[in-house]
Amino acid sequence: MVQPIISCQDVWKVYGGVAKAGDGGACSDVVALREATLDISEGECFVIMGLSGSGKSTLVRCLTRLIDPSRGKIVVDGADITSASERDLTAIRRRTMGMVFQNFALLPHLTVLDNVAFPLGIRGIEKKERQDRARVLLQTVGLSGRENHYPSELSGGQQQRVGIARALSCDPKILFMDEPFSALDPLLRRELQDEFLRLRAKLRKTIVFITHDFDEAIRLADRIAIMKDGGILQIGTPEELIVHSKEPYVREFTRHVDRSRVLTAKTIAQPANGHAPTRYVDGDALLYQFANEVLSSNEPVGVRHQGAVIGVLNKNDVISILTSTDQKAVA
Amino acid sequence: MTEAVATSVSLNTRWRAWAIPAVVVILVCGSTLLPDAMKVYPKAWIVPFIDWFRELMAWLTQDTPQIPGLPPIREFTRAFAGGLNYLLDFFKSLFATGFHFRPGDGPADLPPLPWYLVIGLAALSGWRLGGRKLAIITFVGLLFIAFTGNWTSAMLTLASVIVAAAVSAIAGVAIGALAYRSKTFDRLLSPFLDLMQTVPVFAYLVPALMLLGFGPAAASAATIIYALPPMIRSTVLGLRRVPSETSEFGRIAGCTPFQMMIKVLLPSALPSIMLGINQMTMMTLNMVIIASMIGAGGLGYDVLTALRRLDIGSGLEAGLAIVALAVILDRQSQAAAQRSGDHKHDEQASFFMRHRVTLALIAITAVTYAIGLFEPATAYFPHDFVFSARASLNEFARWIAVNLSGPLNYIKTAFLWTVMIPTRNFIGGLPWFVPPLLVGIIGYAFSGFALALLSSVLVLSIFAAGLQEPALNTIYLCGLGTILSLLFGIPLGIWGAKSERAHAVLGAICDTLQTLPSFVYLIPVVMLFRVGDYSALIAIVAFAIVPAIRYTDFGIRRVPKHYIEASLMSGGTREQVLREVELPLAVPEILLGVSQTIMMALSMLVITALVGTRDLGQETYIALAKADAGRGIVAGLAIAFLAIVADRLVSAWSHYRFRQLHLT
Ligand SMILES: Nc1ncnc2c1ncn2[C@@H]1O[C@H](COP(=O)(O)OP(=O)(O)OP(=O)(O)O)[C@@H](O)[C@H]1O
Ligand SMILES: [Mg+2]
């Protein structure tokens, strides 16, 4: 297995600090993060999903060491950031990290161009070069022509595009995004998600993405970690989560998901049992793409994955998956 | 459980409601039975605080090193004074007097900035910051100053304000940034800031004179120290309010701590810092006017000499010039603060187009200054243009004296004999231990033992310093001033809360009264009533009434509407609702106003000392005249102690009322 770019071992964060003697004990402490263990591999889009107060921000701030974890070990790009000095941390962050914030966190006194160029200026890159690079990035996120505007003159969606361009300006290895689209209207959110997918296909960066919206997680994620009360309940691909929910809490989320857009042929294929189908679908095809084909056929349709036939799909199986909202139909 | 709490509260309340008046009556009645000898704090028990401070100052200013191996502190203060003097000289020459390179009183070698250029630039700045209205205010105000012949004095004052405000701003932001970064430093600093905000302006002047030598640098240093606290406070506050995401962004972007402060935090905190600059500038102006009495020159000095000559006309004109300067400085710095938050882009691409106004201004300045070089007379406001109204103003003052002195004197005499003198005699006649005991009892009743101890010890230490008489005079004058301010201010505040029209008018009046340097209040008072305690009292009330009006208005307006609706629906008349619901609910805010009123009354003391009161303000004033640092510091601290006691007692009362309102 390849070395993960972020590796997080048994990390805890307790607020309230040390329990003082005679103070009624530790009951005033808040455990914001418990026993978090996860590996994120290079190029992956890793989504952390959970409701408000579940500890998502705490986790991502531990991964960047914006806050110090109470316990545990975190290695980012080969460096142990839990023990790094403030100076080393600055160097690590400059080398590997970019971040996008829920409320954009643009600097109000700088123009859009200077905001995007800001991280470059911090690194001592001279004005002409950093402005040229910022201009290219603004073009990438579709904001050419707005270079000289100030953040307060832009809409929320535009501001977040600036935020994304700024986070990308130093070409970081890892992009952290803390609920980047939560402050936006649903329509805009959708638009920025599409933009995000387009950018991601182009740049192939490691992304740690936080959201409290399960649909958003499904759309964007390679893998999802589901959090509750500071703990990670389950980590898996969207499909795995839907097909093999370990906890009732996870099932609560997956129940309402449109399965036809998540499940692939290879996952729901049944053993062939000697059938020799005449028609085939690709193993990576999504259910909604091939459902008609299966339903209009009178015999089972074969599933071919990486050159081999791995199973068949029956009309009845497809119908029961499409009509059920319950887990059992798939399992 | 809740029942138990309720019972204990009502018991508590009943205890306080009866105990305090009872104890007070017993104390006061009992004390009349005591022999006269007990009225004065025993001489033998006086602690030589004043000598200690004298020695401390002597040690600080000695020429031999305080710490072996280091140069004496004097060297540093001399260097500091030198730098400050250099700055002051430069700006005074630039704005008012022109540059003199040769010794002697000859004409300036280089002229100052031409007067019409200054007016034009200021009006333009008003226009850029606040639109046409501010431009007109600035223009008219400065023209008024010029045409009444106060231009040079006003520019001297302005130059002092600019230097002191610039140093305060830089030092305040730097100290504020340090306090934000270091919790320990913040904790050390905070009690000093509290104390500094209660110490009267004069008190800084004496040690500054000792350390920096007699001259404008000392006045300037005192001004800077006086104006620092609000600057530091608003910087820290602004930095704390920067959204956490913004500072997180800075850290992720890899800022060093210094880059973080300069490039991320301070710019994000700018709107709050600019509000601090507005407040600081007004305090600076206030102090510069007062400090000019020690001979620095400027508008304050003009007013004072005019009043001494009883040349009311000149005094009034110089006073109005102060008002004009204050309004212009206040409105412009406020507009700048408002503008600092919103940024607008400029479509123009080229450097020349983007900076066309700046470039044009530089060109105009250069040209007009060059004209001044060749024709120096054009730089100064021509004497022939001055058309002062002081003759007719003096005529007016004389008319008032002749025609109104009868009724005015009647009121004055009546008030003096029925209210002021009896009050003073009563307070002065209490045995010396009663005031410390009384504040202790009040502190205990509203808060607890700690406050009781603090209040008693502070008042006692004032007496122990040998300041019993001036302290009692202070209490009498400020106490009466506060009561009168509340007597007039609270009804006005109620009126403002009930009527939108009144609210608007009172708001405008309060705004203006608040921008005026405290010194200005003296002019009409002296004009009408000459000197004495009565004049002092009126000046105090005029100055201190603002918070009484403001907080009452605010407190009543803040009472939730549903309480009022509920009371009206249950059949209350408007008056009943006001008396039974709105006023009681607004008490915590009104008490805040009371606290502010007392503070302002105390801060007015240094001004009223000029009309011959015999209070702690007079003590500092005398100390200043005699350059007696020990006496000045102790008297200043005594005023600060009184302010602290008053503030703590009133806010304890306010908290107490708050708790009652929430529990019952
Ligand atoms: N500085 C703090 N001091 C004390 N408790 C904190 C602090 N920051 C966070 N918490 C607590 O830690 C828990 C997790 O907070 P966190 O901000 O990580 O949640 P989140 O999942 O990001 O929620 P949201 O969707 O609201 O952003 C919450 O219960 C919160 O109250
Ligand atoms: Mg969060």
Side-chain angles (χ1 to χ4, degrees):
Chain A
M1 185 180 161
V2 279
Q3 187 66 28
I5 191 162
I6 297 178
S7 163
C8 172
Q9 284 285 323
D10 190 25
V11 172
W12 291 68
K13 177 69 194 178
V14 182
Y15 281 110
V18 280
K20 279 165 256 153
D23 186 25
C27 59
S28 64
D29 294 353
V30 179
V31 182
L33 189 61
R34 64 182 84 228
E35 219 192 332
T37 299
L38 51 85
D39 286 329
I40 298 173
S41 42
E42 189 144 12
E44 181 176 28
C45 180
F46 190 88
V47 173
I48 300 168
M49 211 294 298
L51 298 183
S52 185
S54 56
K56 312 178 294 286
S57 296
T58 307
L59 174 57
V60 86
R61 276 160 180 71
C62 285
L63 296 182
T64 48
R65 234 194 93 188
L66 286 171
I67 55 178
D68 294 331
S70 311
R71 215 185 102 176
K73 181 174 167 182
I74 300 165
V75 179
V76 175
D77 195 28
D80 180 354
I81 62 162
T82 30
S83 61
S85 69
E86 199 53 43
R87 184 180 295 258
D88 292 342
L89 263 182
T90 304
I92 295 169
R93 288 186 185 134
R94 285 187 181 188
R95 201 172 61 230
T96 55
M97 295 179 187
M99 189 154 174
V100 180
F101 297 87
Q102 178 168 5
N103 297 305
F104 324 135
L106 301 179
L107 298 177
H109 63 290
L110 296 181
T111 61
V112 164
L113 189 67
D114 290 334
N115 258 295
V116 175
F118 184 88
L120 297 163
I122 288 296
R123 287 160 176 74
I125 292 170
E126 58 153 316
K127 188 163 179 183
K128 170 104 180 53
E129 191 190 338
R130 66 173 191 249
Q131 291 202 335
D132 286 345
R133 274 162 74 176
R135 222 165 260 132
V136 173
L137 274 165
L138 280 173
Q139 203 165 13
T140 317
V141 298
L143 275 181
S144 323
R146 303 279 178 157
E147 287 87 352
N148 291 324
H149 285 58
Y150 285 90
S152 58
E153 297 175 295
L154 301 183
S155 70
Q158 289 171 326
Q159 289 190 43
Q160 195 56 298
R161 286 166 194 263
V162 179
I164 292 172
R166 182 178 67 177
L168 291 172
S169 66
C170 289
D171 198 21
K173 286 191 176 164
I174 311 167
L175 194 58
F176 294 93
M177 305 178 88
D178 187 355
E179 306 207 22
F181 307 142
S182 297
L184 306 176
D185 293 338
L187 273 178
L188 259 179
R189 197 179 306 166
R190 189 92 194 165
E191 189 187 315
L192 265 110
Q193 287 168 1
D194 291 338
E195 182 87 25
F196 172 85
L197 286 170
R198 193 177 61 71
L199 270 176
R200 185 172 137 60
K202 199 159 122 191
L203 300 169
R204 303 299 316 172
K205 285 193 179 306
T206 310
I207 292 168
V208 179
F209 190 105
I210 294 184
T211 180
H212 60 239
D213 175 356
F214 193 66
D215 289 328
E216 186 169 77
I218 298 261
R219 278 197 86 197
L220 308 181
D222 290 328
R223 284 194 301 152
I224 300 176
I226 297 203
M227 292 191 70
K228 185 191 179 207
D229 295 338
I232 299 177
L233 291 184
Q234 189 175 358
I235 302 179
T237 62
E239 253 185 303
E240 278 168 9
L241 289 183
I242 290 174
V243 181
H244 310 290
S245 308
K246 280 195 206 149
E247 306 254 353
Y249 184 77
V250 179
R251 226 165 285 147
E252 279 302 309
F253 288 112
T254 58
R255 169 181 295 176
H256 305 289
V257 171
D258 178 0
R259 280 149 215 288
S260 69
R261 288 178 186 267
V262 180
L263 298 178
T264 54
K266 65 175 189 283
T267 318
I268 55 175
Q270 304 289 327
N273 288 342
H275 276 294
T278 50
R279 299 159 71 180
Y280 289 92
V281 295
D282 186 62
D284 283 329
L286 292 169
L287 178 52
Y288 81 97
Q289 291 165 328
F290 61 76
N292 265 341
E293 200 168 339
V294 177
L295 293 178
S296 61
S297 155
N298 287 325
E299 49 165 13
V301 174
V303 177
R304 209 191 318 247
H305 188 54
Q306 291 170 344
V309 177
I310 58 168
V312 293
L313 289 167
N314 290 310
K315 202 174 182 174
N316 288 346
D317 296 338
V318 171
I319 291 174
S320 77
I321 292 172
L322 285 176
T323 52
S324 78
T325 53
D326 209 319
Q327 197 68 27
K328 277 170 266 166
V330 187
Chain B
M1 173 71 197
T2 43
E3 249 170 62
V5 170
T7 334
S8 84
V9 163
S10 66
L11 265 183
N12 238 341
T13 317
R14 215 172 299 146
W15 173 83
R16 279 166 229 259
W18 290 108
I20 298 176
V23 173
V24 172
V25 168
I26 292 170
L27 263 179
V28 171
C29 293
S31 60
T32 52
L33 303 174
L34 291 170
D36 271 5
M38 301 205 78
K39 282 183 186 165
V40 184
Y41 183 85
K43 274 239 159 36
W45 293 359
I46 284 181
V47 186
F49 289 123
I50 294 179
D51 293 332
W52 294 349
F53 275 104
R54 270 185 203 139
E55 276 157 31
L56 179 69
M57 285 310 291
W59 181 74
L60 281 175
T61 52
Q62 73 195 13
D63 282 324
T64 45
Q66 282 83 358
I67 301 166
L70 287 180
I73 292 175
R74 235 205 157 133
E75 305 254 305
F76 295 107
T77 56
R78 282 215 182 106
F80 180 68
L84 215 49
N85 268 328
Y86 179 80
L87 275 178
L88 283 166
D89 273 348
F90 177 80
F91 277 94
K92 284 180 178 173
S93 309
L94 186 67
F95 280 103
T97 57
F99 296 88
H100 293 77
F101 300 124
R102 287 162 303 184
D105 277 346
D109 298 307
L110 285 178
L113 289 177
W115 62 277
Y116 55 90
L117 176 70
V118 174
I119 295 183
L121 289 181
L124 190 70
S125 133
W127 181 60
R128 298 279 285 198
L129 291 172
R132 192 155 42 146
K133 196 173 149 204
L134 189 51
I136 293 174
I137 291 177
T138 308
F139 188 70
V140 172
L142 289 178
L143 275 190
F144 171 82
I145 290 173
F147 278 99
T148 48
N150 287 305
W151 184 257
T152 307
S153 289
M155 289 301 111
L156 280 178
T157 300
L158 182 65
S160 304
V161 170
I162 289 176
V163 171
V167 177
S168 284
I170 294 168
V173 169
I175 296 172
L178 278 182
Y180 172 79
R181 298 249 334 149
S182 156
K183 282 243 156 49
T184 333
F185 182 59
D186 187 38
R187 233 171 276 139
L188 284 175
L189 191 67
S190 162
F192 277 103
L193 293 186
D194 283 344
L195 186 69
M196 279 165 82
Q197 287 190 316
T198 50
V199 172
V201 283
F202 257 23
Y204 291 118
L205 221 45
V206 193
L209 282 175
M210 304 288 296
L211 283 170
L212 302 179
F214 200 85
S220 195
T223 307
I224 291 165
I225 293 171
Y226 170 66
L228 263 181
M231 200 61 237
I232 297 174
R233 284 247 154 91
S234 59
T235 304
V236 175
L237 201 73
L239 288 172
R240 293 227 174 99
R241 283 208 193 130
V242 172
S244 62
E245 282 193 346
T246 302
S247 52
E248 283 175 350
F249 156 70
R251 289 166 68 193
I252 286 284
C255 289
T256 60
F258 183 74
Q259 285 175 326
M260 183 81 175
M261 186 53 76
I262 297 291
K263 298 193 168 189
V264 178
L265 295 176
L266 284 177
S268 303
L270 193 65
S272 161
I273 293 176
M274 288 298 292
L275 277 181
I277 287 187
N278 168 248
Q279 210 187 343
M280 177 270 288
T281 307
M282 298 322 289
M283 288 175 73
T284 303
L285 177 66
N286 190 9
M287 182 69 182
V288 162
I289 302 275
I290 292 174
S292 66
M293 290 188 287
I294 63 165
L299 292 173
Y301 184 72
D302 293 353
V303 172
L304 198 67
T305 46
L307 288 187
R308 290 228 170 96
R309 290 195 314 265
L310 282 181
D311 176 2
I312 300 290
S314 304
L316 260 183
E317 278 184 354
L320 286 175
I322 296 177
V323 173
L325 200 58
V327 169
I328 292 169
L329 280 174
D330 181 50
R331 296 296 131 86
Q332 291 228 2
S333 56
Q334 236 174 55
Q338 262 157 26
R339 284 288 305 267
S340 69
D342 44 275
H343 301 274
K344 286 271 171 302
H345 71 281
D346 195 342
E347 284 299 346
Q348 303 297 339
S350 84
F351 177 84
F352 284 101
M353 285 311 282
R354 261 182 298 141
H355 299 278
R356 59 194 182 283
V357 178
T358 322
L359 292 172
L361 287 183
I362 293 173
I364 292 173
T365 308
V367 169
T368 51
Y369 196 74
I371 295 175
L373 273 181
F374 289 110
E375 207 54 67
T378 60
Y380 302 92
F381 189 78
H383 282 297
D384 303 343
F385 284 10
V386 175
F387 60 92
S388 164
R390 70 180 60 113
S392 33
L393 280 173
N394 274 332
E395 206 50 51
F396 175 62
R398 216 163 296 133
W399 181 85
I400 287 182
V402 172
N403 291 289
L404 290 184
S405 72
L408 284 178
N409 264 333
Y410 179 77
I411 298 176
K412 176 177 167 178
T413 318
F415 193 71
L416 262 175
W417 285 103
T418 54
V419 179
M420 294 184 72
I421 292 176
T423 311
R424 195 179 67 195
N425 290 345
F426 172 73
I427 292 181
L430 291 174
W432 64 267
F433 51 81
V434 169
L437 210 56
L438 213 55
V439 291
I441 292 171
I442 298 174
Y444 183 72
F446 288 133
S447 166
F449 188 66
L451 183 60
L453 193 69
L454 177 81
S455 315
S456 292
V457 166
L458 288 184
V459 174
L460 204 58
S461 63
I462 297 174
F463 288 8
L467 293 174
Q468 188 194 3
E469 199 200 321
L472 289 179
N473 269 328
T474 303
I475 294 173
Y476 132 78
L477 210 52
C478 288
L480 265 185
T482 305
I483 291 171
L484 286 179
S485 300
L486 299 177
L487 229 51
F488 291 111
I490 292 179
L492 282 174
I494 295 174
W495 186 39
K498 292 285 149 198
S499 140
E500 286 308 321
R501 283 266 290 286
H503 179 73
V505 173
L506 286 171
I509 294 175
C510 287
D511 273 348
T512 318
L513 286 181
Q514 241 171 5
T515 44
L516 298 188
S518 44
F519 192 65
V520 171
Y521 289 83
L522 222 48
I523 304 165
V525 172
V526 170
M527 178 174 140
L528 293 175
F529 305 109
R530 302 294 182 245
V531 295
D533 277 7
Y534 183 73
S535 304
L537 188 66
I538 291 191
I540 290 175
V541 172
F543 185 64
I545 198 170
V546 173
I549 300 176
R550 277 254 154 96
Y551 282 80
T552 307
D553 186 338
F554 175 72
I556 294 180
R557 273 170 189 272
R558 245 192 38 139
V559 171
K561 287 283 162 288
H562 57 263
Y563 284 131
I564 299 163
E565 280 160 12
S567 323
L568 283 176
M569 287 314 288
S570 51
T573 64
R574 288 268 166 202
E575 274 131 74
Q576 279 173 328
V577 172
L578 179 65
R579 209 173 48 234
E580 309 285 335
V581 181
E582 290 174 287
L583 277 179
L585 284 176
V587 162
E589 272 86 14
I590 297 178
L591 286 177
L592 264 180
V594 173
S595 177
Q596 287 288 314
T597 304
I598 298 175
M599 292 297 140
M600 292 185 68
L602 281 168
S603 73
M604 194 66 185
L605 285 183
V606 290
I607 307 293
T608 56
L610 293 171
V611 292
T613 54
R614 275 175 304 164
D615 51 21
L616 290 168
Q618 192 67 13
E619 274 292 307
T620 38
Y621 193 53
I622 294 170
L624 184 65
K626 294 189 174 166
D628 182 345
R631 196 168 170 187
I633 293 174
V634 169
L637 283 179
I639 298 182
F641 284 3
L642 283 183
I644 291 170
V645 171
D647 179 56
R648 295 291 143 83
L649 288 184
V650 174
S651 65
W653 184 11
S654 152
H655 281 298
Y656 172 73
R657 283 291 306 184
F658 236 153
R659 281 202 305 274
Q660 266 187 332
L661 286 180
H662 278 269
L663 279 171
T664 52

